[in-house]
């Protein structure tokens, strides 16, 4: 006879043994489940209860979820506090110097998952703390700030710097002032020396013997054409005089602004007595500024190259220069000095009294390739060589007179 109800019919009662068996298996599975460990990052799902008509035991509550461990991070440096001697060091943290696990130096004290600051690179221990052995890290006092990291007032903050800067400023001003004063004094002494030398040169005409101004014999090494040596012998010395009749009218007018204190002249001949040359020293009445102005005019207008501004020679009777007149002038040279009130000049010609149609400035007659008779005879070298050596002698005497006066 077939049963009236199926095995799953709700009205049919299941055998007690089968119910107990199913409940027991569920309890066994719950019992055998491994407890969750802190290393797990997700929560286990609890078992799904078996459908049964018998009341099931309440499921055990899941253990509290443990948050994943936080990786160590660099802690913020602790605030600084003053130590003995003015040094600054980090303030001690809670539990610093106590053994780990004492309750004040644990992760629970700093919060779950927070690493112990004692293991950080910036951790420090108080002097005499036990258990660490690591050196104490201290920091110097921050410049311009107090223990609360507040800036000092300006006057207190930079007092020493301001004092040092003021001292440096005073020293610098003193050094600069000394340098300026020294330069000024040196300039004054230099100007005074130049002034005394200028004045001494103006007195050479009556304070220096004639043999020093116009030596009886002058040597001119390399002064001739082709750097040939020259020797000049003095044949006559003119008495010192004024400038009346010593210059052509146009040259006398040109020299009038500087005045004429005294005129000294001497005539030389070469070793063969073929050439004659007159050398003159015109001592003016001008100051340094007037002489500089005259020299500038000669240079800009090239007045030393104009044939209408040639000086006149001194022809002494009974000498090789007896026939040396205005028509025999072949080459000339003029120099206006600026460090002495003197105009130096020289004019040369032939000793036989021949006339010269085209005289040349000494610089032009000395140029190579010039085919004129004065140039080929070397008369330009005669005029320039003698003028240079007389000028050198004058400067030498001026230097000696300046040294004696100082």
């Amino acid at each position: 006879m077939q049963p009236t109800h199926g095995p799953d019919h709700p009205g049919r009662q299941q055998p007690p043994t089968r119910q107990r068996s199913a409940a027991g298996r569920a309890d066994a599975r719950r019992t055998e489940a491994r407890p969750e460990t802190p290393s797990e990052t997700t929560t286990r799902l609890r078992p799904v209860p078996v459908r049964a008509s018998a009341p099931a035991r309440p499921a055990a509550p899941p253990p509290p979820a443990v948050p994943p461990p936080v990786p160590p991070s660099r802690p913020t440096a602790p605030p600084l506090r003053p130590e003995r001697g003015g040094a600054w060091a980090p303030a001690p943290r809670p539990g610093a110097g106590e053994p780990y696990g004492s309750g004040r130096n644990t992760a629970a004290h700093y919060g779950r998952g927070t690493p112990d600051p004692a293991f950080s690179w910036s951790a420090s221990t108080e002097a005499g703390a036990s258990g660490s052995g690591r050196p104490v890290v201290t920091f110097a006092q921050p410049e311009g700030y107090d223990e609360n990291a507040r800036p000092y007032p300006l006057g207190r903050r930079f007092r020493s710097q301001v004092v040092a800067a003021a001292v440096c400023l005073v020293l610098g001003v003193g050094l600069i002032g000394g340098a300026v004063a020294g330069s000024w004094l040196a300039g004054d002494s230099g100007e005074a020396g130049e002034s005394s030398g200028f004045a001494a040169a103006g007195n050479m005409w009556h304070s220096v013997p004639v043999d020093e101004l116009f030596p009886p014999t002058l040597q001119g090494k390399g002064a001739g054409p082709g750097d040939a040596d020259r020797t000049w012998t003095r044949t006559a010395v003119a008495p010192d005089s004024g400038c009346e009749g010593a210059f052509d009218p146009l040259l006398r007018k040109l020299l009038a602004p500087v005045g004429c204190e005294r005129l000294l002249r001497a005539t030389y001949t070469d070793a063969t007595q073929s050439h004659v040359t007159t050398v003159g020293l015109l001592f003016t009445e001008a100051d340094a500024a007037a002489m500089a102005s005259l020299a500038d005019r000669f240079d800009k207008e090239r007045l030393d190259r104009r044939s209408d501004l040639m000086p006149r020679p001194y022809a002494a009777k009974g000498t090789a220069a007896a026939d040396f007149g205005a028509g025999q002038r072949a080459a000339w040279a003029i120099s206006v000095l600026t460090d002495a009130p003197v105009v130096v000049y020289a004019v040369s010609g032939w000793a036989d009294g021949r006339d010269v149609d085209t005289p040349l400035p000494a610089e032009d007659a000395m140029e190579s390739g010039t085919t004129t008779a004065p140039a080929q005879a070397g008369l330009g070298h005669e005029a320039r060589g003698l003028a240079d050596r007389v000028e050198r002698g004058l400067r030498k005497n001026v230097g000696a007179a300046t040294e004696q006066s100082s």
Side-chain angles (χ1 to χ4, degrees), residues 4-393:
T4 58
H5 300 285
D8 296 332
H9 193 276
R12 184 179 179 182
Q13 296 183 354
Q14 298 293 333
T17 58
R18 187 176 182 181
Q19 294 178 357
R20 286 196 303 268
S21 176
R25 285 195 299 270
D27 293 339
R29 283 195 296 269
R30 285 193 299 269
T31 304
E32 294 175 358
R34 291 187 294 108
E36 295 178 357
T37 61
S39 61
E40 294 180 346
T41 58
T42 58
T43 306
R44 282 183 182 276
L45 299 178
R46 59 187 180 85
V48 180
V50 181
R51 291 182 301 176
S53 58
R57 295 181 182 180
V66 179
V70 180
S73 61
R74 178 181 293 183
T76 305
L80 304 178
R81 66 177 184 82
E83 286 187 350
R84 294 180 181 178
W88 287 63
R93 295 183 176 85
E98 296 183 13
Y100 189 81
S102 61
R104 299 192 60 191
N105 198 13
T106 62
H109 178 74
Y110 291 94
R112 182 178 296 274
T114 303
D116 181 11
F119 293 94
S120 173
W121 64 274
S122 61
S124 63
T125 58
E126 297 290 341
S130 61
S132 173
R134 290 189 297 275
V136 177
V137 180
T138 59
F139 301 92
Q141 181 177 359
E143 183 179 0
Y145 294 88
D146 58 11
E147 64 274 7
N148 296 323
R150 292 177 298 185
Y152 288 120
L154 181 61
R156 179 183 175 188
R157 185 179 180 183
F158 298 110
R159 184 177 303 168
S160 59
Q161 290 88 339
V162 170
V163 172
V167 172
C168 293
L169 178 61
V170 172
L171 293 177
V173 171
L175 291 175
I176 294 175
V180 172
S183 176
W184 179 69
L185 292 175
D188 281 355
S189 58
E191 292 177 0
E194 292 178 1
S195 177
S196 61
F198 192 89
N203 297 325
M204 292 288 102
W205 67 271
H206 63 79
S207 61
V208 178
V210 64
D211 287 346
E212 294 185 12
L213 293 177
F214 301 116
T217 302
L218 285 173
Q219 300 294 330
K221 293 183 178 181
D227 295 334
D229 295 338
R230 279 285 192 267
T231 300
W232 299 285
T233 303
R234 190 182 68 191
T235 61
V237 176
D240 60 286
S241 63
C243 296
E244 294 291 337
F247 303 107
D248 290 343
L250 190 59
L251 181 58
R252 184 170 64 248
K253 181 179 180 180
L254 177 64
L255 298 175
V258 296
C260 179
E261 177 69 20
R262 214 67 178 169
L263 177 63
L264 304 181
R265 294 173 293 173
T267 300
Y268 288 82
T269 184
D270 66 335
T272 62
Q273 295 187 352
S274 300
H275 309 139
V276 288
T277 304
T278 296
V279 185
L281 294 174
L282 169 62
F283 289 84
T284 69
E285 301 172 345
D287 56 8
M291 294 300 297
S293 177
L294 180 63
D296 185 65
R297 182 179 179 185
F298 262 81
D299 183 56
K300 288 183 177 179
E301 300 180 18
R302 304 185 62 151
L303 300 179
D304 57 340
R305 296 174 179 269
R306 288 177 51 173
S307 59
D308 56 350
L309 296 177
M310 283 190 299
R312 288 183 177 179
Y314 172 64
K317 295 181 179 180
T319 64
D323 297 330
F324 189 24
Q328 285 72 44
R329 294 176 293 185
W332 77 97
I334 300 179
S335 298
V336 180
L337 307 185
T338 57
D339 54 349
V342 179
V343 177
V344 183
Y345 68 88
V347 56
S348 62
W350 279 281
D352 56 4
R354 73 182 72 174
D355 293 337
V356 179
D357 296 332
T358 308
L360 292 175
E363 282 70 19
D364 292 347
M366 293 170 63
E367 291 182 359
S368 61
T370 305
T371 59
T372 61
Q376 291 181 348
L379 292 176
H381 292 81
E382 300 285 329
R384 173 52 63 192
L386 275 167
D388 287 348
R389 277 147 185 82
V390 170
E391 179 181 338
R392 293 175 192 174

